[in-house]
Amino acid sequence: MEKNIVRTRYAPSPTGFMHIGNLRTALYEYLISKSLGGKFILRIEDTDKCRYVEGAQDVIYSTLKKVGLIHDEGPDIGGDFGPYIQSQRKDIYLKYAMKLIEEGKAYYCFCDKERLENLKKSEDSLEYGGYDRHCRGLDKSFVDSMLKSNKPYVIRQKMPIDGSTKFIDEVYGEITVENKELQDQILIKADGFPTYNFANVVDDYLMGITHIVRGCEYLSSTPKYNLLYEAFGWKIPKYIHLPLIMGKNEDGSLSKLSKRHGSVSFEDLVNDGYLPQAIVNYIAMLGWCPNDNREIFSLEDLIKNFSIDRINKSPSVFDYDKLSWFNQEYIKAKSDDDLLQLFTPYIKKSISSSNIDYLKIVKTIRNRVTKLSEIPDMIDFIQLLPEYKIDLFINKKSKTNLENSLFVLKKVKERLLKLDIWNHESIHDLLIDMAKEMKLKNGTLMWPVRIAVSGKLVTPGGAVEILDILGKDESINRIDFGINKLENEGDR
RNA sequence: GGCCCGGUGGUCAAACGGUUAAGACAUCGCCCUUUCACGGCGGUAACACGGGUUCGAUUCCCGUCCGGGUCACCA
């Protein structure tokens, strides 16, 4: 192994979806290692067989790939410290647990669930952090006989009874926890699998992880980890705890971001029409900021600028408005061609006619889209003129009413009919000229036309863009329809 | 409840003993305009509270309050 190289790891459990908080942790792990020229390792923590989810690992791989967090070692690509899936490392943990038993630092515990339950209910369960250390002093011959008769057991670590454990966190500083708060933690579960805490420590050590980056919900349990490192005589890595990402509850209170806060997985957000890069950029700014006012960062820029000492301590609230703003910025930065690619599937949801030029649509909506999912509703009128009320024609600012709208529409129809070249420029010039000729405000002429061809009060793009997209025949038809509508319904 | 962490506008977030306390999002107003947007300009809005330390505290210390996290054979 290369000396002194920074190694961070992302160690998700395969739950089947990528929680945004986890993604943020992965991002920071990646940034810390890459900004320091280190390696980023992926390890799957699947020690809870009850939670096994089919295909969950693929979600992890595909998400990391989509956002560009490329790992240097992992289950799919191997590495010198594999296997990288904990269920395939089961024997390793047992071996290390046994070592602790031999050294008198851990012990077999035969307490069953029922006893533990009762213990929790009792008053003095607060002592020793919840477990009364019933099996800590068991007679060796008794243990042997229990083992021989195949009694189920767990292996627990002996925690110090008094004193305190302190450690330095790179963002929170020195933290001290009284040892009596810590119960004799379980290392190996009755099913033979290691607990998360134990597997985590063993693997981090074996895989040479130098910086442990995780959410600060682990802050108060970190001493447990350290006591394990100490029991083995291993060097304690650097700790970097990240401030939590919070979600706003319906009653206005805050809590750790979770499903009840809406779309909180990466997939949800992508399905909602947010771009992966925008998501990454946004979550990077949740808990970290550069020393200037910059907000837009590519992953490469983040690597260049990231520094641990600018990680924030206080929790932050996930804000969809701000995410939308980032998303818009990323959309605006793209070329028309890129957007055509990106928008096409969403355009197709509303438009089936084959004679519509998608690129024209892209050009007119590109500055109005905040998330891709709103595209279909934005342009549905292009496919089919919706029903509308004639008072849409009345607009104070544009100085339009039913009468002049009808008049304008008739005139415009006449002239449009004679227009041979149908494109944005020719339509634009014609209408502007007409307004001048008729001594009307541009708006007075444009408004009725836009309403007639869209049937909507608010549209992406104005009359000219819509006429251009619709084409001559359809445009004339819709204007005709508007004329009839005004003539039939206008008097009343 | 014990323990741990946090507390700058509605949200994100600068400042690291002396500033008229930045900026961004949101919001409001105006301008631009062919609706809505985009863009431009401007406004409202914050150092949780009380004690210290100091010539001077948003900044350092203590307490209070508030918020969150954690106390599993889940990770």
Side-chain angles (χ1 to χ4, degrees):
Chain A
M1 190 197 327
E2 293 171 65
K3 280 281 177 226
N4 300 323
I5 191 166
V6 169
R7 291 170 63 85
T8 62
R9 106 270 123 148
Y10 175 48
S13 59
T15 57
F17 71 103
M18 179 71 81
H19 182 94
I20 217 64
N22 290 138
L23 183 61
R24 198 275 238 104
T25 303
L27 209 213
Y28 281 36
E29 281 157 348
Y30 177 82
L31 292 175
I32 287 169
S33 104
K34 293 304 164 186
S35 66
L36 267 22
K39 301 269 192 227
F40 175 57
I41 288 93
L42 174 64
R43 180 175 75 225
I44 305 291
E45 308 218 330
D46 58 346
T47 54
D48 184 4
K49 57 187 194 329
C50 305
R51 285 219 220 165
Y52 179 76
V53 178
E54 195 76 42
Q57 286 184 33
D58 297 332
V59 173
I60 294 168
Y61 298 139
S62 76
T63 305
L64 291 181
K65 199 173 166 192
K66 246 180 241 172
V67 297
L69 303 185
I70 310 299
H71 49 283
D72 299 295
E73 298 167 27
D76 52 340
I77 54 174
D80 297 338
F81 303 86
Y84 293 90
I85 297 181
Q86 290 189 329
S87 57
Q88 295 170 11
R89 302 169 64 82
K90 198 174 162 190
D91 297 343
I92 300 175
Y93 310 116
L94 189 61
K95 195 182 89 193
Y96 280 97
M98 293 309 292
K99 193 174 168 217
L100 253 24
I101 288 183
E102 282 158 23
E103 293 172 3
K105 293 171 178 169
Y107 59 93
Y108 292 100
C109 168
F110 303 96
C111 294
D112 55 25
K113 288 247 163 72
E114 191 185 356
R115 195 183 108 77
L116 261 18
E117 283 301 311
N118 290 334
L119 211 53
K120 261 182 218 164
K121 284 176 207 152
S122 75
E123 305 242 327
D124 31 286
S125 75
L126 277 348
E127 296 290 314
Y128 314 127
Y131 176 62
D132 64 355
R133 299 174 170 162
H134 179 261
C135 298
R136 182 156 163 158
L138 249 33
D139 203 66
K140 185 161 191 323
S141 56
F142 177 73
V143 170
D144 286 343
S145 69
M146 291 294 271
L147 252 26
K148 205 159 287 174
S149 61
N150 284 323
K151 262 295 242 172
Y153 64 86
V154 300
I155 297 177
R156 311 183 91 114
Q157 184 192 4
K158 290 182 184 172
M159 301 303 243
I161 292 171
D162 43 34
S164 59
T165 302
K166 63 175 61 172
F167 67 98
I168 308 280
D169 179 84
E170 300 296 311
V171 355
Y172 288 93
E174 184 178 289
I175 289 168
T176 308
V177 173
E178 297 297 316
N179 290 333
K180 64 169 190 261
E181 302 288 329
L182 279 17
Q183 73 164 31
D184 281 0
Q185 62 179 330
I186 293 176
L187 272 21
I188 301 292
K189 299 185 273 191
D191 63 6
F193 277 91
T195 55
Y196 162 79
N197 292 342
F198 187 55
N200 205 261
V201 167
V202 170
D203 285 347
D204 283 342
Y205 167 73
L206 257 20
M207 295 183 182
I209 304 304
T210 59
H211 295 59
I212 294 185
V213 186
R214 53 177 26 165
C216 79
E217 65 264 35
Y218 293 102
L219 212 43
S220 49
S221 60
T222 299
K224 287 192 200 170
Y225 295 71
N226 286 349
L227 258 9
L228 224 28
Y229 280 100
E230 281 167 17
F232 284 116
W234 295 338
K235 186 179 174 226
I236 291 173
K238 282 191 193 278
Y239 286 106
I240 297 159
H241 285 92
L242 272 20
L244 257 18
I245 297 177
M246 316 293 283
K248 195 168 272 171
N249 300 315
E250 277 178 26
D251 62 0
S253 63
L254 298 174
S255 54
K256 200 162 80 172
L257 191 67
S258 66
K259 315 102 228 154
R260 72 162 170 279
H261 299 299
S263 307
V264 295
S265 75
F266 178 76
E267 304 82 72
D268 289 341
L269 259 19
V270 170
N271 288 338
D272 232 5
Y274 293 104
L275 272 42
Q277 278 64 34
I279 297 170
V280 169
N281 196 156
Y282 174 59
I283 61 177
M285 308 311 281
L286 246 30
W288 176 87
C289 78
N291 54 16
D292 54 21
N293 283 333
R294 178 134 82 118
E295 295 198 275
I296 303 293
F297 284 91
S298 66
L299 195 56
E300 294 71 39
D301 291 341
L302 284 171
I303 293 172
K304 280 186 207 134
N305 290 278
F306 200 83
S307 61
I308 295 172
D309 56 358
R310 291 194 70 85
I311 295 176
N312 228 58
K313 285 191 181 77
S314 46
S316 49
V317 178
F318 191 87
D319 181 12
Y320 292 91
D321 283 333
K322 187 81 189 223
L323 207 212
S324 293
W325 177 78
F326 273 101
N327 209 44
Q328 243 181 108
E329 292 297 308
Y330 274 81
I331 288 174
K332 278 191 276 191
K334 286 186 183 295
S335 68
D336 287 340
D337 284 340
D338 287 346
L339 290 181
L340 181 60
Q341 294 272 334
L342 217 48
F343 288 5
T344 293
Y346 294 89
I347 294 175
K348 281 190 169 149
K349 283 185 186 174
S350 278
I351 293 178
S352 54
S353 7
S354 53
N355 50 353
I356 297 290
D357 184 350
Y358 285 12
L359 191 59
K360 284 179 183 171
I361 294 180
V362 168
K363 284 179 176 166
T364 99
I365 67 175
R366 58 169 301 147
N367 278 345
R368 297 157 219 264
V369 175
T370 59
K371 37 182 195 172
L372 306 183
S373 56
E374 52 191 36
I375 291 176
D377 285 349
M378 196 178 266
I379 59 169
D380 55 0
F381 70 92
I382 293 173
Q383 175 67 30
L384 185 70
L385 182 70
E387 290 199 21
Y388 63 95
K389 298 226 177 75
I390 56 168
D391 36 301
L392 286 191
F393 284 110
I394 305 169
N395 181 267
K396 200 171 139 207
K397 206 178 131 213
S398 297
K399 296 194 159 76
T400 63
N401 54 44
L402 265 25
E403 291 73 38
N404 66 10
S405 290
L406 179 58
F407 178 70
V408 162
L409 251 25
K410 283 179 169 171
K411 289 285 185 195
V412 168
K413 181 189 162 190
E414 264 174 46
R415 298 285 289 271
L416 245 23
L417 240 17
K418 286 185 244 165
L419 188 65
D420 293 327
I421 302 165
W422 193 271
N423 62 34
H424 188 281
E425 196 189 355
S426 64
I427 299 167
H428 175 266
D429 291 350
L430 174 71
L431 294 183
I432 295 294
D433 286 349
M434 280 185 71
K436 205 174 282 175
E437 286 166 23
M438 296 163 75
K439 296 203 166 60
L440 292 175
K441 271 181 71 166
N442 287 342
T444 313
L445 185 123
M446 297 289 189
W447 183 278
V449 177
R450 191 179 61 83
I451 297 300
V453 295
S454 71
K456 287 172 95 170
L457 189 59
V458 173
T459 54
V464 177
E465 286 79 16
I466 299 172
L467 287 165
D468 184 26
I469 291 171
L470 254 22
K472 189 167 177 176
D473 292 349
E474 178 65 13
S475 295
I476 300 291
N477 282 345
R478 291 188 182 191
I479 290 173
D480 237 354
F481 182 83
I483 291 171
N484 287 331
K485 202 174 173 71
L486 280 166
E487 282 176 338
N488 296 332
E489 303 169 31
D491 17 300
R492 215 92 333 232

